[in-house]
Amino acid sequence: MGFTRTREVQLSVIVATVIILWGSGGIYVLESEINEGIENFSDAIWWAVVTTTTVGYGGISPATFGGRMIGVVLMITGIGLIGSVTASVAAHFSQVLIQQRRETHSPENRVRGELLTTAKEYLNRIDRLTPEEYRTLLQLLETLRVSGDPDSSHPPSASQTGSRENQAGTEPI
């Protein structure tokens, strides 16, 4: 996905460069003799960039019909290029947000969130827990610890979450 967007941006830059060079060359050939604002090729490049980016400082205006037509092509091309770059950036951020939502709303994350909520409820009243609730809290904390371990590639099995209770001689809940 990122590779395609990079190619799109590269293509946009290439197209913009070609259009600006074409417009600069055309305006220089058509206007350099009669337009006092275009004395050399760098003035023509400046005019083409200003026109393509739709900034339009207004210091240089084409005097010939051909120069004006080149200006129209540069303006339309500039609007299209700005639109395509804006769309590409917006699509990138949209994909990032969609990916974050998928990760946040995955079944594993929902279960983990529910386990965290339950553990917090038990911790808020830890001084009033029954022995069974205390064992449940320990089991929840162990499950959360093991499932949050980056070395663990999968959720803990029932034997892993119930290991303390089994060692203590009680049944896992």
Side-chain angles (χ1 to χ4, degrees), residues 37-57:
I38 300 181
E39 297 175 357
N40 52 44
F41 191 67
S42 64
D43 290 337
I45 290 175
W46 175 251
W47 174 84
V49 169
V50 167
T51 304
T52 303
T53 59
T54 67
V55 171
Y57 284 117

Side-chain angles (χ1 to χ4, degrees), residues 22-34:
W22 168 81
S24 301
I27 205 76
Y28 182 72
V29 168
L30 293 172
E31 303 268 333
S32 63
E33 298 292 321
I34 59 172

